[in-house]
Amino acid sequence: MAPALLLVPAALASFILAFGTGVEFVRFTSLRPLLGGIPESGGPVSRQGWMAALQDRGILAALAWDLGLLLLFVGQHSLMATETVKAWTSRYFGVLQRSLYVACTALALQLVMRCWEPVPRGPVLWEARAEPWATWVPLLCFVLHVISWLLIFSILLVFDYAELMGLKQVYYHVLGLGEPLALKSPRALRLFSHLRHPVCVELLTVLWVVPTLGTDRLLLALLLTLYLGLAHGLDQQDLRYLRAQLQRKLHLLSRPQDGDAE
């Protein structure tokens, strides 16, 4: 039992790292472009046109650096999700395989966010500058971002969040209950194989709905949109199962407790 209990701190450390990275990702994708920080709209900085930007080595170098960071994240996230790599990590790390995947993903995403190179002098696809748009567009974007993040957290309740983070695997292992996925229904396993990111639409809203879509933000939104689109393969059977699970959990949440009934 003692060696098994040593796995718990490793799984908790991976979870804490992932949680902190998630909070930082909210700041990176929503708070920074909506509330300030590193300027994405350039403000007083003079912007170049698209043709001039393609000839500016400074802008091209920054975009190439950002593209490399994104490809590193996408490569890590996809490569470690393949059956070959999962089998290898399971052989050497055992029940910590999922925690290792989560930790590596969090570290890759941290690298993207901390090393991201803004392009304040680059052109913009759109920008709300004139009134009343300069006031109302950021407010509308803020509301949509808040709704999107609330939906993301709500959707995660439908899925097994502890299992996604690798905590449940270690918990079951310590108690000798086996692999959590072995207890899932065939429909659930089929859904998980088709849907790697259950919050695609909400993330796309966060990526694209901003008051100013600068060059580096456009690169971020385009590449992650392409990646999210390729990672999905839902069909009607998956959607019916998702709807049934959501209705079941909403029914459980709305059911009165024993204390309330008395």
Side-chain angles (χ1 to χ4, degrees), residues 22-65:
V23 173
E24 182 71 11
F25 187 67
V26 174
R27 186 200 68 82
F28 180 75
T29 56
S30 292
L31 297 184
R32 189 183 72 170
L34 294 179
L35 301 181
I38 298 175
E40 288 195 5
S41 61
V45 179
S46 60
R47 289 187 174 275
Q48 300 187 25
W50 290 97
M51 293 305 298
L54 293 177
Q55 301 174 11
D56 190 313
R57 292 187 177 181
I59 292 178
L60 294 179
L63 290 177
W65 175 260

Side-chain angles (χ1 to χ4, degrees), residues 15 18-19 22 98 148-165 192 195-200 202-203 242 246 249:
F15 172 78
F19 183 82
R98 182 67 188 181
S148 297
W149 286 116
L150 289 177
L151 286 174
I152 287 173
F153 298 141
S154 301
I155 291 173
L156 290 176
L157 294 178
V158 178
F159 287 78
D160 199 334
Y161 188 69
E163 184 178 322
L164 289 175
M165 294 292 102
F192 293 161
L195 182 60
R196 290 179 56 190
H197 297 277
V199 290
C200 179
E202 293 77 13
L203 280 178
L242 259 181
L246 179 60
K249 296 210 172 187

Side-chain angles (χ1 to χ4, degrees), residues 182-249:
L183 304 177
K184 298 288 185 182
S185 67
R187 290 195 301 168
L189 295 176
R190 184 177 187 275
L191 173 68
F192 293 161
S193 67
H194 288 175
L195 182 60
R196 290 179 56 190
H197 297 277
V199 290
C200 179
V201 175
E202 293 77 13
L203 280 178
L204 292 182
T205 301
V206 169
L207 290 172
W208 286 98
V209 180
V210 288
T212 300
L213 190 66
T215 314
D216 58 309
R217 180 68 177 212
L218 178 61
L219 175 66
L220 176 71
L222 277 176
L223 195 61
L224 291 186
T225 297
L226 179 62
Y227 178 64
L228 288 171
L230 294 177
H232 283 70
L234 289 179
D235 54 22
Q236 290 298 321
Q237 186 174 342
D238 293 323
L239 294 175
R240 286 195 297 268
Y241 174 75
L242 259 181
R243 189 181 303 112
Q245 289 299 305
L246 179 60
Q247 292 173 349
R248 182 178 69 86
K249 296 210 172 187

Side-chain angles (χ1 to χ4, degrees), residues 76 78-91 97:
Q76 173 275 324
S78 301
L79 183 63
M80 292 193 68
T82 62
E83 293 301 325
T84 302
V85 176
K86 284 197 292 187
W88 183 86
T89 52
S90 296
R91 187 194 321 167
Q97 181 269 328

Side-chain angles (χ1 to χ4, degrees), residues 5-181:
L5 290 176
L6 295 178
L7 300 174
V8 176
L12 286 175
S14 173
F15 172 78
I16 293 172
L17 175 62
F19 183 82
T21 301
V23 173
E24 182 71 11
F25 187 67
V26 174
R27 186 200 68 82
F28 180 75
T29 56
S30 292
L31 297 184
R32 189 183 72 170
L34 294 179
L35 301 181
I38 298 175
E40 288 195 5
S41 61
V45 179
S46 60
R47 289 187 174 275
Q48 300 187 25
W50 290 97
M51 293 305 298
L54 293 177
Q55 301 174 11
D56 190 313
R57 292 187 177 181
I59 292 178
L60 294 179
L63 290 177
W65 175 260
D66 293 340
L67 178 61
L69 291 173
L70 289 173
L71 291 178
L72 177 65
F73 168 73
V74 169
Q76 173 275 324
H77 201 52
S78 301
L79 183 63
M80 292 193 68
T82 62
E83 293 301 325
T84 302
V85 176
K86 284 197 292 187
W88 183 86
T89 52
S90 296
R91 187 194 321 167
Y92 290 100
F93 294 92
V95 72
L96 289 176
Q97 181 269 328
R98 182 67 188 181
S99 294
L100 177 67
Y101 174 76
V102 169
C104 290
T105 298
L107 290 174
L109 190 55
Q110 284 282 355
L111 184 65
V112 171
M113 294 185 293
R114 294 182 182 276
C115 298
W116 188 261
E117 188 71 30
V119 187
R121 294 188 300 108
V124 296
L125 194 60
W126 64 72
E127 183 176 15
R129 300 183 62 180
E131 293 292 349
W133 309 114
T135 299
W136 289 105
V137 170
L139 180 60
L140 176 62
C141 292
F142 178 79
V143 171
L144 290 176
H145 278 234
V146 170
I147 294 174
S148 297
W149 286 116
L150 289 177
L151 286 174
I152 287 173
F153 298 141
S154 301
I155 291 173
L156 290 176
L157 294 178
V158 178
F159 287 78
D160 199 334
Y161 188 69
E163 184 178 322
L164 289 175
M165 294 292 102
L167 289 173
K168 195 170 186 179
Q169 288 85 334
V170 174
Y171 175 74
Y172 273 43
H173 177 76
V174 171
L175 297 181
L177 300 177
E179 171 63 37
L181 280 178

